[in-house]
Amino acid sequence: MTPDAPEIIDELRDGTLWITFNRPLTRNAMTFGMYERLAVLCSEVPTDRSVRAVVISGAGGKAFAAGTDMKQFRVFETEQDALAYESRIDAVLEAVERCPLPTIAAINGACTGGGGAIAAACDLRIASSSLKFGFPIARTLGNCLAAANLARLSDLIGAGRVRELIFTARLIGAEEALATGLVSEVLADEQSLMTRAAELAALVGSMAPLTLRATKEAMRRTRSATKVEDSDLIAMCYMSDDFRIGMEAFLAKQKPEWSGK
């Protein structure tokens, strides 16, 4: 990747918009600019049938996306910084969910943190056999997922499994992801994954667009019918000593020593 290469690549091929996270040296860790660009692409995709489906993937062969780039958290000083961050991420995920076209996450390798949240917000998920999916924040950063994120994940794989994944900080492999319904297909490698993503995009793109749009929006509204107040929980985690300890330990490639404060 050259210094001036875009962090997100978007390309229209055969009626499919391909969105590729392009920071392979960081396992496609998401910058705020990448989040915002993803939201714009999903929000502004044309509905005139020039584009019929969207595929989201990661460059570099090792990761879909490995969460938010942690260096960006070092500027957090107040509760409002934390609340604004989670609100910003929630708006991005909602933009992915509200995309008027069918969205497919083609997941190769690591799909953790914010990357996992993006994949969960897509309509369909397929993966290669190298998939590692999860939210190991209880082991690394000591922050938390917003309530809307937890609800979205619980819809996919069940509340009990979400709780177990976060409490143990373990990652789901491809076969378990298939068995739990997190992904609908597992392919042998990245090449076959991307080939299948193109086929699946062409298939769903050939369906009645208003049927798909109405279905995904009705399901989004059903899940979003009850809003949960979680600002106190977000502030508790992001303003804690443990969050600073976890962030600096992760960046230094050390094990954090939690204080519970």
Side-chain angles (χ1 to χ4, degrees):
M1 178 178 170
T2 60
D4 57 348
E7 293 182 333
I8 282 189
I9 299 170
D10 58 281
E11 181 182 8
L12 180 60
R13 301 198 308 266
D14 299 323
T16 298
L17 177 63
W18 295 80
I19 299 174
T20 306
F21 303 134
N22 189 40
R23 297 184 73 214
L25 295 181
T26 66
R27 294 187 175 233
N28 301 317
M30 300 290 290
T31 64
F32 291 154
M34 292 169 72
Y35 280 124
E36 296 301 327
R37 180 61 179 157
L38 175 63
V40 168
L41 288 168
C42 288
S43 300
E44 297 184 357
V45 66
T47 57
D48 60 2
R49 303 294 282 161
S50 61
V51 184
R52 300 190 179 192
V54 177
V55 175
I56 302 175
S57 64
K62 293 183 178 180
F64 177 81
T68 300
D69 189 326
M70 293 186 187
K71 295 184 183 69
Q72 298 179 120
F73 291 132
R74 280 178 163 163
V75 302
F76 282 22
E77 294 181 354
T78 68
E79 290 186 7
Q80 189 53 43
D81 291 331
L83 296 176
Y85 166 74
E86 285 294 345
S87 178
R88 189 176 191 177
I89 298 304
D90 189 55
V92 171
L93 298 176
E94 187 160 311
V96 175
E97 280 194 311
R98 285 179 176 269
C99 179
L101 304 182
T103 53
I104 301 166
I107 311 169
N108 183 63
C111 182
T112 55
I118 291 167
C122 290
D123 298 311
L124 303 173
R125 284 156 299 283
I126 59 176
S128 72
S129 59
S130 66
L131 170 70
K132 295 296 180 184
F133 179 95
F135 300 83
I137 52 177
R139 175 170 50 82
T140 56
L141 271 188
N143 62 332
C144 63
L145 298 186
N149 240 338
L150 292 170
R152 189 179 293 111
L153 289 163
S154 295
D155 269 1
L156 285 176
I157 60 175
R161 192 175 298 271
V162 171
R163 190 179 291 112
E164 185 260 334
L165 284 180
I166 293 176
F167 281 23
T168 64
R170 74 179 183 89
L171 302 180
I172 290 179
E175 292 307 316
E176 184 178 357
L178 182 63
T180 60
L182 176 63
V183 302
S184 58
E185 299 178 49
V186 172
L187 289 306
D189 52 34
E190 185 177 26
Q191 182 176 353
S192 56
L193 171 69
M194 301 312 288
T195 298
R196 178 56 181 153
E199 294 171 351
L200 189 57
L203 174 63
V204 298
S206 71
M207 302 298 173
L210 297 184
T211 298
L212 304 191
R213 196 179 311 171
T215 299
K216 62 189 290 181
E217 177 60 13
M219 294 179 74
R220 188 197 67 80
R221 290 182 190 181
T222 299
R223 200 199 68 251
S224 302
T226 303
K227 290 289 185 180
V228 175
E229 174 55 47
D230 60 357
S231 59
D232 58 324
L233 306 176
I234 292 169
M236 177 180 71
C237 288
Y238 281 93
M239 292 297 102
S240 68
D241 291 342
D242 273 355
F243 180 64
R244 294 290 173 183
I245 290 168
M247 174 177 56
E248 296 302 334
F250 185 91
L251 293 171
K253 298 182 179 180
Q254 298 173 350
K255 183 178 180 180
E257 295 290 338
W258 307 117
S259 69
K261 300 178 183 178

